[in-house]
Amino acid sequence: QVQLVESGGGVVQPGGSLRLSCAASRITFSIYNMAWHRQTPGKERELVARITTSANTNYGDSVKGRFTISRDNIKKTVYLEMNSLKPEDTATYFCNARGTIYNSEYWGQGTQVTVSS
């Protein structure tokens, strides 16, 4: 069974930084577009950042210029560098994998990020 396991969440002060990691297993990682989404109770899940199999990236408007997504195909891991964090960034962050050959999709269990003073 495909597994996506997020790590790196925690509590940070406004203006601080965190790096989230998503480790994939039992997956042909290089043929999957990878993304980070986030969700707050009562709100719909929103796209934070996406990186394609060819390493093209897209970011949500609210995080552009502050977050950077990257991938390591050898380690089968996708990262999200989060800088200049704001209280509005507080959410559960989910790792997502979407196939480019077959229309398959997988989600991790999520990691909590809390930005507070």
Side-chain angles (χ1 to χ4, degrees), residues 48-64:
V48 176
R50 186 183 306 279
I51 184 166
T52 69
T53 58
S54 58
N56 293 319
T57 58
N58 292 284
Y59 297 91
D61 290 339
S62 63
V63 306
K64 185 171 293 185

Side-chain angles (χ1 to χ4, degrees), residues 17-72:
S17 299
L18 285 174
R19 186 182 73 165
L20 305 184
S21 299
C22 172
S25 61
R26 294 189 287 273
I27 189 173
T28 306
F29 187 79
S30 61
I31 65 170
Y32 281 82
N33 294 328
M34 303 298 299
W36 289 95
H37 292 70
R38 67 186 182 187
Q39 188 170 26
T40 300
K43 299 177 63 178
E44 288 192 31
R45 189 170 298 186
E46 66 172 341
L47 174 68
V48 176
R50 186 183 306 279
I51 184 166
T52 69
T53 58
S54 58
N56 293 319
T57 58
N58 292 284
Y59 297 91
D61 290 339
S62 63
V63 306
K64 185 171 293 185
R66 299 188 297 121
F67 293 6
T68 302
I69 189 171
S70 61
R71 65 191 294 159
D72 186 330

Side-chain angles (χ1 to χ4, degrees), residues 72-88:
D72 186 330
N73 286 351
I74 296 175
K75 293 183 176 181
K76 295 186 177 182
T77 302
V78 62
Y79 304 95
L80 184 67
E81 294 281 354
M82 309 167 66
N83 299 312
S84 301
L85 284 163
K86 305 174 181 179
E88 307 94 276

